[in-house]
Amino acid sequence: MLLPSFSLLAGALLAQVSVAQAQCGSGTPDARVTGSGSSFTATRGSTTVYSGSDYRAAIQAAVDSISSGQRVAVMASGSIGANTITIGSGKTFEGCGTINVGNKAGRGAIESLNTADVKIPYLTMTGNPYFGLRFYGTRNLSLGKITMNLSGGLGIRFDRDAAANSNVSMDVISVTGAGSHAVETWNIDGLNINQVIARNVGESGLLLQATRNAWVGLVDGNNVGAGTGYATFRMANNNGQLANGNYNTNVYIDKVISRGGGRGIFCVSRSGAVVIKEVDLANNGNNAILIENCYNVSIRGGTVNGGGEVRLAARSEFPNNKDIWITLSVSGTSVRESPCGENTNWTLSGSGTRNIC
Ligand SMILES: *[C@@H]1O[C@H](CO)[C@@H](O)[C@H](O)[C@H]1NC(C)=O
Ligand SMILES: *[C@@H]1O[C@H](CO)[C@@H](O)[C@H](O)[C@H]1NC(C)=O
Ligand SMILES: *[C@@H]1O[C@H](CO)[C@@H](O)[C@H](O)[C@H]1NC(C)=O
Ligand SMILES: *[C@@H]1O[C@H](CO)[C@@H](O)[C@H](O)[C@H]1NC(C)=O
Ligand SMILES: *[C@@H]1O[C@H](CO)[C@@H](O)[C@H](O)[C@H]1NC(C)=O
């Protein structure tokens, strides 16, 4: 009796320790890229698959040398220039060094297109890409701790006019300095994100479009979309609408934090089917919250302090807002519903002036 429960406990402890200690490049990756400056080596096991001055070629050679189910660890730091690294099905890519990238029009610095079971548990990227990471047609894609310290470009992008994705997960995505969005999705069914942390980003922090069955733990933006209509958390282009056309809740957001920048939360163009459990928005340069032509949107609590007004609005091109339920404390800014939505329900506290239906 003692032994099994002891070994169970020991096993659980071991599992915890190994999770805590797991780090980029740990254990025995099937392939590795090492070196620095103008000398890089890619090895698969004990076989050298590239040796030379081209960091990009070393990485691609290492990726190409492994098979599905295997792992490559890029230990070296360097610059790939305005180029693209492509990752095929079943491969695990760990970017342990700092991968500096350039801008290749319409392309990702790293891409995985029409693939299954690709994992990128770790990645540190710098530079000014067109897209840092670009995806479409992926199934079972898993992104882990991704840190992008950029001087422009868009962080992570799932393409619009391309094959859809299913079962995408992300752990912690931190993007600083993107000129466009930190994370932009299109066409995902099944998305789980622990955190998106966006700092000094030009457009949105997290932008979800035509994405359904999603859960996000936290979207945290500081100085995101300053001087634009973009938002720390934006939903657009039928986001949340199910295949049968309805808006039964299928997008769940635990928390949105936003400071400064443009908007805090923006729902637009027939999106919705969303529950946002808690918001903490302050001093947004544009609307703290704007809900425009959205359906079945519920904000369950939290605070807005200062910044642009909380607004329900409508453009004539789409049906008016419908089924909007908001429980919120709003101070230091106003709340305005114009035009009146259909089946809106406000439970407001705080000191902001109200002009609601
Ligand atoms: C996705 O992962 C599940 C569980 O590992 C597996 O059963 C399924 O075949 C995978 N799908 C694809 C398309 O690889
Ligand atoms: C989703 O993908 C992950 C890998 O990212 C896999 O572990 C999981 O089993 C997949 N789930 C389904 C339902 O396919
Ligand atoms: C991001 O990169 C810039 C320029 O390379 C550097 O000055 C800054 O310290 C970096 N910030 C972080 C948080 O890594
Ligand atoms: C909103 O979503 C909830 C949860 O799925 C559902 O019960 C409700 O009917 C939806 N409301 C409308 C008006 O679509
Ligand atoms: C409005 O929302 C509150 C809080 O969720 C709820 O208690 C109330 O029943 C709702 N009112 C209507 C008319 O549905």
Side-chain angles (χ1 to χ4, degrees), residues 325 327 343 345-347:
W325 284 36
T327 300
N343 188 30
N345 177 354
W346 296 94
T347 308

Side-chain angles (χ1 to χ4, degrees), residues 25 29-33 43 58-59 61-66 70-74 87 91-96 121:
D30 300 282
R32 284 159 56 95
V33 176
T43 51
I59 295 174
V63 171
D64 292 346
S65 77
I66 62 168
Q70 296 189 322
R71 172 167 65 114
V72 58
V74 179
I87 305 174
K91 298 187 178 183
T92 295
F93 182 97
E94 298 185 344
C96 310

Side-chain angles (χ1 to χ4, degrees), residues 71-92:
R71 172 167 65 114
V72 58
V74 179
M75 307 311 295
S77 298
S79 290
I80 68 166
N83 286 300
T84 297
I85 289 164
T86 62
I87 305 174
S89 286
K91 298 187 178 183
T92 295

Side-chain angles (χ1 to χ4, degrees), residues 20-72:
Q21 284 180 346
Q23 57 181 23
C24 197
S26 68
T28 314
D30 300 282
R32 284 159 56 95
V33 176
T34 56
S36 64
S38 58
S39 170
F40 298 99
T41 305
T43 51
R44 181 181 167 280
S46 54
T47 307
T48 298
V49 296
Y50 177 87
S51 177
S53 62
D54 187 336
Y55 181 63
R56 181 211 62 83
I59 295 174
Q60 193 65 60
V63 171
D64 292 346
S65 77
I66 62 168
S67 348
S68 178
Q70 296 189 322
R71 172 167 65 114
V72 58

Side-chain angles (χ1 to χ4, degrees), residues 170-183:
M170 307 187 197
D171 183 8
V172 179
I173 311 298
S174 302
V175 179
T176 301
S180 177
H181 314 297
V183 178

Side-chain angles (χ1 to χ4, degrees), residues 16-351:
Q16 263 187 353
V17 166
S18 66
V19 164
Q21 284 180 346
Q23 57 181 23
C24 197
S26 68
T28 314
D30 300 282
R32 284 159 56 95
V33 176
T34 56
S36 64
S38 58
S39 170
F40 298 99
T41 305
T43 51
R44 181 181 167 280
S46 54
T47 307
T48 298
V49 296
Y50 177 87
S51 177
S53 62
D54 187 336
Y55 181 63
R56 181 211 62 83
I59 295 174
Q60 193 65 60
V63 171
D64 292 346
S65 77
I66 62 168
S67 348
S68 178
Q70 296 189 322
R71 172 167 65 114
V72 58
V74 179
M75 307 311 295
S77 298
S79 290
I80 68 166
N83 286 300
T84 297
I85 289 164
T86 62
I87 305 174
S89 286
K91 298 187 178 183
T92 295
F93 182 97
E94 298 185 344
C96 310
T98 299
I99 301 178
N100 185 261
V101 304
N103 183 311
K104 183 170 180 181
R107 299 290 301 273
I110 299 177
E111 294 183 344
S112 190
L113 312 177
N114 294 317
T115 58
D117 305 304
V118 165
K119 294 181 168 57
I120 306 181
Y122 305 95
L123 178 67
T124 302
M125 182 182 284
T126 57
N128 179 10
Y130 194 93
F131 302 129
L133 289 170
R134 174 175 176 241
F135 303 103
Y136 61 73
T138 67
R139 291 164 300 164
N140 291 356
L141 172 69
S142 164
L143 306 180
K145 298 186 190 318
I146 309 290
T147 301
M148 295 184 170
N149 184 0
L150 307 179
S151 52
L154 192 158
I156 300 179
R157 154 85 174 202
F158 290 77
D159 271 14
R160 183 183 64 181
D161 303 315
N165 309 270
S166 63
N167 188 26
V168 173
S169 71
M170 307 187 197
D171 183 8
V172 179
I173 311 298
S174 302
V175 179
T176 301
S180 177
H181 314 297
V183 178
E184 177 183 11
T185 74
W186 277 99
N187 315 318
I188 300 181
D189 188 355
L191 171 67
N192 276 267
I193 303 180
N194 276 330
Q195 302 187 359
V196 174
I197 312 290
R199 298 285 179 267
N200 306 319
V201 161
E203 297 186 326
S204 310
L206 176 62
L207 168 52
L208 300 181
Q209 298 161 119
T211 294
R212 55 187 188 243
N213 298 311
W215 172 82
V216 181
L218 174 68
V219 188
D220 178 344
N222 195 312
N223 189 29
V224 169
T228 77
Y230 287 110
T232 287
F233 176 49
R234 183 176 191 256
M235 297 154 272
N237 297 304
N238 304 72
N239 197 68
Q241 187 176 30
L242 291 171
N244 65 10
N246 82 20
Y247 285 86
N248 286 351
T249 309
N250 65 86
V251 178
Y252 298 89
I253 312 294
D254 284 356
K255 187 165 187 179
V256 179
I257 300 175
S258 181
R259 296 284 179 275
R263 292 184 169 126
I265 296 174
F266 184 16
C267 182
V268 66
S269 49
R270 294 176 291 183
S271 298
V274 62
V275 169
I276 300 175
K277 277 197 197 161
E278 191 187 353
V279 306
D280 172 1
L281 314 174
N283 303 318
N284 291 121
N286 201 327
N287 303 90
I289 299 175
L290 175 59
I291 297 175
E292 195 171 71
N293 310 99
C294 286
Y295 319 114
N296 212 4
V297 175
S298 167
I299 296 177
R300 298 267 164 94
T303 58
V304 172
N305 272 304
E309 71 180 356
V310 173
R311 172 83 198 266
L312 262 60
R315 303 183 195 187
S316 55
E317 63 202 290
F318 301 129
N320 194 0
N321 286 321
K322 186 167 183 277
D323 309 314
I324 313 293
W325 284 36
I326 296 182
T327 300
L328 194 61
S329 170
V330 181
S331 299
T333 188
S334 51
V335 180
R336 185 153 59 109
E337 179 179 356
S338 172
C340 293
E342 225 179 292
N343 188 30
T344 58
N345 177 354
W346 296 94
T347 308
L348 293 169
S349 58
S351 61

